[in-house]
Amino acid sequence: KVTPLAVFTQRVLPLLVLGLAMVSVPLMMLSPAGLSRLNGLHLEKQRTDDEISHLSAQIQDLRAEVERIKDDPAAVERAARDQLGLVRRTEVVFQFKQ
């Protein structure tokens, strides 16, 4: 003899779960926390990856400059002139207003 509970768990319950999934999955996908948020997160990740790539290139450039300054006295002088505005004692500096 088949009990009503067995009929319910074997036939009705799977249909109820399927019906609930058919309604709730599209609602979750279209909600603000669904696909639109996922797309926004993908865009944010892409921007972050691009920024990381740009910063990594800057780091490499700075490391190369540090190596040049360590090894080349002329590079030290260029850095002092360009970044610090230093001049030799024997030089005369002319400043012009623009």
Side-chain angles (χ1 to χ4, degrees):
K1 179 181 173 189
V2 179
T3 65
L5 181 61
V7 170
F8 178 77
T9 56
Q10 289 178 356
R11 294 185 182 162
V12 178
L13 187 61
L15 291 175
L16 288 175
V17 171
L18 180 63
L20 180 64
M22 289 176 62
V23 171
S24 63
V25 169
L27 287 176
M28 288 190 296
M29 288 174 55
L30 298 175
S31 74
L35 291 177
S36 61
R37 177 160 162 63
L38 181 63
N39 288 336
L41 290 172
H42 281 298
L43 290 174
E44 184 177 343
K45 182 185 180 299
Q46 182 61 44
R47 283 191 301 268
T48 304
D49 289 343
D50 292 344
E51 185 177 354
I52 287 170
S53 175
H54 176 72
L55 292 174
S56 294
Q58 279 185 328
I59 289 170
Q60 291 297 333
D61 292 343
L62 290 171
R63 285 184 177 155
E65 184 177 349
V66 166
E67 289 302 316
R68 281 192 304 273
I69 289 174
K70 282 182 180 179
D71 298 334
D72 185 12
V76 173
E77 183 177 345
R78 272 194 309 277
R81 289 176 179 275
D82 295 343
Q83 295 175 6
L84 302 176
L86 298 179
V87 294
R88 291 183 180 162
R89 290 181 189 221
T90 59
E91 294 178 329
V92 178
V93 177
F94 295 96
Q95 292 183 341
F96 300 98
K97 291 185 179 183
Q98 295 180 354

